[in-house]
Amino acid sequence: MKELEQVEESIRNACAKSGRDRSEVRIVAVTKTHGPEVVAEACAAGLMLIGENKVQEAMWKKPQCASCLSWHLIGHLQTNKVRHALATFDYFHSIDSAKLLDKIETVSEELGLRPRVLLEVNVSGEKSKSGMKPEEVPFVLEHAMMECPRIEVQGFMTMAPFSTDPESSRPYFRRLKELQIQMRKVSGLYLPELSMGMSGDYQVAVEEGATFVRLGTVLFGARPKVRRQVASDDLGLEVCKYVD
Ligand SMILES: *Cc1c(COP(=O)(O)O)cnc(C)c1O
Protein backbone atom coordinates (compact mmCIF):
# COMPACT_ATOMS: atom_id res chain seq x y z
CA MET A 1 0.00 0.00 0.00
CA LYS A 2 1.72 3.17 -1.29
CA GLU A 3 -0.23 5.46 1.06
CA LEU A 4 1.08 3.57 4.06
CA GLU A 5 4.70 4.21 3.06
CA GLN A 6 3.99 7.95 3.10
CA VAL A 7 2.25 7.68 6.47
CA GLU A 8 5.13 5.64 7.89
CA GLU A 9 7.59 8.27 6.76
CA SER A 10 5.55 11.04 8.38
CA ILE A 11 5.27 9.10 11.64
CA ARG A 12 9.01 8.37 11.65
CA ASN A 13 9.76 12.06 11.05
CA ALA A 14 7.41 13.14 13.83
CA CYS A 15 9.03 10.60 16.18
CA ALA A 16 12.52 11.82 15.29
CA LYS A 17 11.48 15.42 15.82
CA SER A 18 10.11 14.68 19.29
CA GLY A 19 12.68 12.12 20.42
CA ARG A 20 10.24 9.24 20.44
CA ASP A 21 10.62 5.67 19.27
CA ARG A 22 8.50 4.57 16.28
CA SER A 23 7.34 1.54 18.29
CA GLU A 24 5.46 3.82 20.71
CA VAL A 25 2.92 4.72 18.02
CA ARG A 26 0.32 2.36 16.59
CA ILE A 27 -1.95 2.99 13.62
CA VAL A 28 -5.65 2.26 13.95
CA ALA A 29 -6.90 1.78 10.38
CA VAL A 30 -10.32 3.44 10.24
CA THR A 31 -12.47 1.46 7.82
CA LYS A 32 -15.90 2.93 8.62
CA THR A 33 -18.30 2.98 5.63
CA HIS A 34 -15.81 0.89 3.62
CA GLY A 35 -16.55 -2.76 2.91
CA PRO A 36 -14.71 -5.83 4.20
CA GLU A 37 -12.37 -5.68 1.16
CA VAL A 38 -10.80 -2.52 2.58
CA VAL A 39 -10.26 -4.29 5.91
CA ALA A 40 -8.55 -7.07 3.95
CA GLU A 41 -6.35 -4.46 2.25
CA ALA A 42 -5.35 -3.04 5.64
CA CYS A 43 -4.63 -6.51 6.95
CA ALA A 44 -2.47 -7.36 3.92
CA ALA A 45 -0.44 -4.20 4.56
CA GLY A 46 0.16 -5.31 8.14
CA LEU A 47 -2.37 -3.01 9.79
CA MET A 48 -4.01 -5.21 12.40
CA LEU A 49 -5.93 -2.62 14.43
CA ILE A 50 -9.24 -1.83 12.77
CA GLY A 51 -11.24 1.24 13.82
CA GLU A 52 -15.01 1.42 13.40
CA ASN A 53 -17.40 4.02 14.77
CA LYS A 54 -20.66 2.06 14.67
CA VAL A 55 -21.40 -1.14 16.53
CA GLN A 56 -23.82 -2.59 13.97
CA GLU A 57 -21.55 -1.89 11.04
CA ALA A 58 -18.65 -3.67 12.75
CA MET A 59 -20.93 -6.59 13.68
CA TRP A 60 -21.74 -7.01 10.01
CA LYS A 61 -18.16 -6.60 8.79
CA LYS A 62 -16.16 -8.54 11.34
CA PRO A 63 -17.33 -12.08 10.44
CA GLN A 64 -16.23 -11.40 6.85
CA CYS A 65 -12.71 -10.45 7.89
CA ALA A 66 -9.58 -12.24 9.09
CA SER A 67 -9.89 -13.38 12.68
CA CYS A 68 -6.43 -12.12 13.72
CA LEU A 69 -7.54 -8.47 13.61
CA SER A 70 -8.18 -6.35 16.67
CA TRP A 71 -11.36 -4.26 16.52
CA HIS A 72 -11.34 -0.80 18.07
CA LEU A 73 -14.51 1.17 18.73
CA ILE A 74 -13.79 4.84 18.04
CA GLY A 75 -17.35 6.23 17.95
CA HIS A 76 -19.87 7.08 20.64
CA LEU A 77 -21.32 4.06 22.45
CA GLN A 78 -24.91 3.98 23.68
CA THR A 79 -25.65 1.94 26.81
CA ASN A 80 -28.18 -0.24 24.95
CA LYS A 81 -25.44 -1.41 22.58
CA VAL A 82 -22.83 -2.29 25.20
CA ARG A 83 -23.53 -6.03 25.05
CA HIS A 84 -23.07 -6.20 21.29
CA ALA A 85 -20.08 -3.88 21.46
CA LEU A 86 -18.32 -6.07 24.04
CA ALA A 87 -18.86 -9.12 21.86
CA THR A 88 -17.44 -7.33 18.83
CA PHE A 89 -14.66 -4.99 19.92
CA ASP A 90 -11.38 -5.62 21.76
CA TYR A 91 -10.66 -2.01 22.61
CA PHE A 92 -12.83 1.03 23.38
CA HIS A 93 -11.53 4.54 22.58
CA SER A 94 -14.66 6.53 23.26
CA ILE A 95 -15.96 5.93 26.79
CA ASP A 96 -17.37 9.19 28.07
CA SER A 97 -19.37 8.66 31.28
CA ALA A 98 -19.49 6.81 34.59
CA LYS A 99 -22.89 5.44 33.58
CA LEU A 100 -21.38 3.83 30.51
CA LEU A 101 -18.56 2.36 32.62
CA ASP A 102 -21.14 0.84 34.96
CA LYS A 103 -22.98 -0.81 32.10
CA ILE A 104 -19.71 -2.13 30.63
CA GLU A 105 -18.70 -3.46 34.06
CA THR A 106 -22.00 -5.30 34.56
CA VAL A 107 -21.96 -6.97 31.15
CA SER A 108 -18.22 -7.74 31.41
CA GLU A 109 -18.80 -9.51 34.69
CA GLU A 110 -21.55 -11.59 33.10
CA LEU A 111 -19.44 -12.48 30.08
CA GLY A 112 -16.14 -12.87 31.93
CA LEU A 113 -14.42 -10.09 29.99
CA ARG A 114 -11.74 -7.58 30.98
CA PRO A 115 -12.19 -4.76 28.45
CA ARG A 116 -9.54 -2.12 27.84
CA VAL A 117 -10.91 1.37 27.51
CA LEU A 118 -9.84 4.96 26.95
CA LEU A 119 -11.74 7.90 28.39
CA GLU A 120 -12.80 10.31 25.67
CA VAL A 121 -12.21 13.91 26.66
CA ASN A 122 -13.69 16.94 24.92
CA VAL A 123 -10.65 19.16 25.39
CA SER A 124 -11.83 21.86 22.99
CA GLY A 125 -15.23 22.28 24.66
CA GLU A 126 -16.93 22.28 21.24
CA LYS A 127 -20.61 21.49 21.72
CA SER A 128 -20.75 19.18 18.70
CA LYS A 129 -18.01 16.93 20.09
CA SER A 130 -18.63 13.98 22.36
CA GLY A 131 -16.46 13.20 25.35
CA MET A 132 -16.43 14.31 28.96
CA LYS A 133 -15.22 17.68 30.17
CA PRO A 134 -11.60 17.70 31.38
CA GLU A 135 -12.77 18.61 34.91
CA GLU A 136 -14.96 15.46 35.02
CA VAL A 137 -12.04 13.16 34.29
CA PRO A 138 -10.76 12.74 37.90
CA PHE A 139 -14.22 11.70 39.08
CA VAL A 140 -14.86 9.27 36.24
CA LEU A 141 -11.40 7.79 36.72
CA GLU A 142 -11.96 7.39 40.44
CA HIS A 143 -15.32 5.78 39.71
CA ALA A 144 -13.62 3.31 37.38
CA MET A 145 -11.01 2.46 40.04
CA MET A 146 -13.53 2.04 42.87
CA GLU A 147 -16.51 0.47 41.09
CA CYS A 148 -15.30 -1.18 37.90
CA PRO A 149 -12.65 -3.81 38.72
CA ARG A 150 -13.09 -5.56 35.37
CA ILE A 151 -12.38 -2.49 33.28
CA GLU A 152 -8.83 -1.53 32.48
CA VAL A 153 -8.62 2.20 31.83
CA GLN A 154 -5.52 2.58 29.69
CA GLY A 155 -5.55 6.29 28.92
CA PHE A 156 -7.38 8.99 27.00
CA MET A 157 -8.75 9.89 23.59
CA THR A 158 -9.66 13.19 22.00
CA MET A 159 -10.65 14.77 18.72
CA ALA A 160 -9.40 18.24 17.82
CA PRO A 161 -11.86 20.68 16.24
CA PHE A 162 -12.01 20.45 12.46
CA SER A 163 -9.41 22.58 10.72
CA THR A 164 -7.35 22.52 7.54
CA ASP A 165 -4.29 23.62 9.54
CA PRO A 166 -2.76 20.73 11.51
CA GLU A 167 -0.98 23.20 13.82
CA SER A 168 -4.33 24.35 15.18
CA SER A 169 -4.77 20.87 16.75
CA ARG A 170 -1.54 21.08 18.73
CA PRO A 171 -2.86 22.88 21.85
CA TYR A 172 -5.63 20.28 22.25
CA PHE A 173 -3.25 17.34 21.93
CA ARG A 174 -0.88 19.04 24.36
CA ARG A 175 -3.69 19.50 26.86
CA LEU A 176 -4.60 15.81 26.67
CA LYS A 177 -0.96 14.90 27.33
CA GLU A 178 -0.93 17.23 30.36
CA LEU A 179 -4.13 15.65 31.61
CA GLN A 180 -2.52 12.22 31.27
CA ILE A 181 0.49 13.29 33.36
CA GLN A 182 -1.75 14.85 36.00
CA MET A 183 -4.06 11.83 36.19
CA ARG A 184 -1.13 9.43 36.50
CA LYS A 185 -0.01 11.36 39.56
CA VAL A 186 -3.37 11.50 41.30
CA SER A 187 -4.50 7.95 40.46
CA GLY A 188 -1.26 5.99 40.55
CA LEU A 189 -2.45 4.24 37.39
CA TYR A 190 -0.08 3.82 34.45
CA LEU A 191 -2.50 5.19 31.81
CA PRO A 192 -0.01 4.75 28.96
CA GLU A 193 -2.24 5.37 25.94
CA LEU A 194 -3.19 8.57 24.13
CA SER A 195 -5.48 8.15 21.12
CA MET A 196 -5.23 11.39 19.15
CA GLY A 197 -4.62 12.47 15.60
CA MET A 198 -6.50 11.71 12.37
CA SER A 199 -5.55 12.03 8.69
CA GLY A 200 -5.24 15.81 8.87
CA ASP A 201 -3.19 16.17 12.03
CA TYR A 202 -1.54 12.87 13.01
CA GLN A 203 2.04 14.14 12.63
CA VAL A 204 1.33 16.87 15.18
CA ALA A 205 -0.38 14.32 17.44
CA VAL A 206 2.68 12.05 17.33
CA GLU A 207 4.92 14.99 18.19
CA GLU A 208 2.68 15.65 21.19
CA GLY A 209 2.72 12.06 22.45
CA ALA A 210 0.01 10.05 20.64
CA THR A 211 0.31 6.28 21.07
CA PHE A 212 -2.65 5.56 18.76
CA VAL A 213 -3.35 7.55 15.60
CA ARG A 214 -6.73 6.88 13.95
CA LEU A 215 -6.31 7.04 10.19
CA GLY A 216 -8.94 6.63 7.48
CA THR A 217 -8.77 9.00 4.51
CA VAL A 218 -4.97 9.19 4.30
CA LEU A 219 -4.80 5.39 3.92
CA PHE A 220 -7.93 4.51 1.96
CA GLY A 221 -8.92 7.74 0.17
CA ALA A 222 -12.22 9.56 0.54
CA ARG A 223 -14.92 7.49 2.16
CA PRO A 224 -17.59 6.21 -0.25
CA LYS A 225 -20.94 7.91 -0.32
CA VAL A 226 -22.93 4.89 0.62
CA ARG A 227 -26.52 3.86 0.55
CA ARG A 228 -27.16 2.08 3.78
CA GLN A 229 -29.43 -0.94 3.80
CA VAL A 230 -30.74 -1.54 7.24
CA ALA A 231 -32.06 -4.91 8.30
CA SER A 232 -32.96 -6.28 11.71
CA ASP A 233 -31.23 -9.21 13.28
CA ASP A 234 -33.03 -11.70 15.49
CA LEU A 235 -32.26 -9.61 18.56
CA GLY A 236 -34.11 -6.68 17.05
CA LEU A 237 -30.94 -4.73 16.56
CA GLU A 238 -30.46 -2.87 13.35
CA VAL A 239 -27.72 -4.36 11.21
CA CYS A 240 -26.18 -2.22 8.52
CA LYS A 241 -25.23 -3.46 5.12
CA TYR A 242 -23.49 -1.20 2.69
CA VAL A 243 -24.06 -1.29 -1.04
CA ASP A 244 -22.75 1.07 -3.70
C1 LIG B 1 -13.60 8.81 11.00
C2 LIG B 1 -12.79 8.96 12.21
C3 LIG B 1 -11.39 8.99 12.13
C4 LIG B 1 -10.61 8.94 10.83
O1 LIG B 1 -10.76 10.12 10.13
P1 LIG B 1 -9.83 10.45 8.84
O2 LIG B 1 -9.80 11.93 8.81
O3 LIG B 1 -10.50 9.84 7.66
O4 LIG B 1 -8.51 9.86 9.10
C5 LIG B 1 -10.68 9.08 13.31
N1 LIG B 1 -11.30 9.14 14.51
C6 LIG B 1 -12.64 9.12 14.62
C7 LIG B 1 -13.26 9.18 15.96
C8 LIG B 1 -13.43 9.02 13.48
O5 LIG B 1 -14.76 9.00 13.60
Side-chain angles (χ1 to χ4, degrees), residues 74-115:
I74 60 169
H76 181 68
L77 177 59
Q78 294 167 278
T79 48
N80 64 350
K81 289 180 186 154
V82 164
R83 191 171 292 274
H84 285 294
L86 281 168
T88 304
F89 291 97
D90 309 297
Y91 209 105
F92 299 82
H93 289 238
S94 42
I95 303 309
D96 59 2
S97 72
K99 182 172 152 236
L100 192 52
L101 284 169
D102 285 339
K103 181 70 187 178
I104 293 172
E105 176 69 21
T106 307
V107 178
S108 296
E109 172 129 40
E110 253 179 65
L111 302 179
L113 300 171
R114 304 196 63 88

Side-chain angles (χ1 to χ4, degrees), residues 11-242:
I11 293 177
R12 277 197 308 272
N13 287 342
C15 283
K17 212 169 148 185
S18 52
R20 303 184 65 205
D21 195 277
R22 169 66 189 88
S23 65
E24 294 171 32
V25 185
R26 277 155 300 160
I27 298 170
V28 177
V30 177
T31 52
K32 65 188 186 194
T33 79
H34 289 289
E37 70 287 349
V38 170
V39 180
E41 194 188 326
C43 183
L47 297 169
M48 296 301 178
L49 313 185
I50 303 300
E52 289 280 338
N53 67 338
K54 294 209 162 68
V55 177
Q56 302 98 309
E57 185 180 338
M59 285 171 71
W60 164 75
K61 230 174 267 184
K62 191 182 174 187
Q64 308 177 62
C65 299
S67 59
C68 57
L69 298 166
S70 178
W71 292 75
H72 288 229
L73 181 66
I74 60 169
H76 181 68
L77 177 59
Q78 294 167 278
T79 48
N80 64 350
K81 289 180 186 154
V82 164
R83 191 171 292 274
H84 285 294
L86 281 168
T88 304
F89 291 97
D90 309 297
Y91 209 105
F92 299 82
H93 289 238
S94 42
I95 303 309
D96 59 2
S97 72
K99 182 172 152 236
L100 192 52
L101 284 169
D102 285 339
K103 181 70 187 178
I104 293 172
E105 176 69 21
T106 307
V107 178
S108 296
E109 172 129 40
E110 253 179 65
L111 302 179
L113 300 171
R114 304 196 63 88
R116 292 165 297 168
V117 316
L118 304 177
L119 301 181
E120 181 176 358
V121 188
N122 182 357
V123 231
S124 68
E126 270 193 324
K127 285 221 170 60
S128 61
K129 289 264 185 300
S130 52
M132 66 189 79
K133 295 179 186 151
E135 51 279 22
E136 290 177 273
V137 172
F139 302 101
V140 177
L141 196 55
E142 192 184 347
H143 183 86
M145 290 174 74
M146 306 302 285
E147 310 288 339
C148 308
R150 292 212 155 252
I151 300 175
E152 225 181 280
V153 180
Q154 297 213 319
F156 305 99
M157 180 272 221
T158 200
M159 282 173 86
F162 177 79
S163 166
T164 51
D165 175 16
E167 278 303 322
S168 68
S169 300
R170 193 181 295 277
Y172 305 105
F173 296 154
R174 196 163 282 181
R175 227 176 289 163
L176 196 70
K177 177 74 195 179
E178 283 163 8
L179 188 71
Q180 176 197 36
I181 293 168
Q182 213 182 339
M183 289 303 108
R184 272 179 177 165
K185 271 194 206 133
V186 302
S187 70
L189 295 173
Y190 185 34
L191 304 170
E193 309 294 355
L194 286 179
S195 171
M196 55 191 198
M198 307 177 19
S199 289
D201 55 16
Y202 66 97
Q203 293 101 323
V204 172
V206 170
E207 288 171 22
E208 296 300 328
T211 63
F212 288 117
V213 289
R214 308 178 308 268
L215 305 180
T217 313
V218 77
L219 292 172
F220 309 118
R223 277 180 279 280
K225 290 252 180 294
V226 287
R227 196 147 50 85
R228 196 192 278 187
Q229 272 184 351
V230 179
S232 280
D233 69 4
D234 48 5
L235 295 155
L237 217 107
E238 286 182 342
V239 178
C240 301
K241 296 195 173 168
Y242 287 87

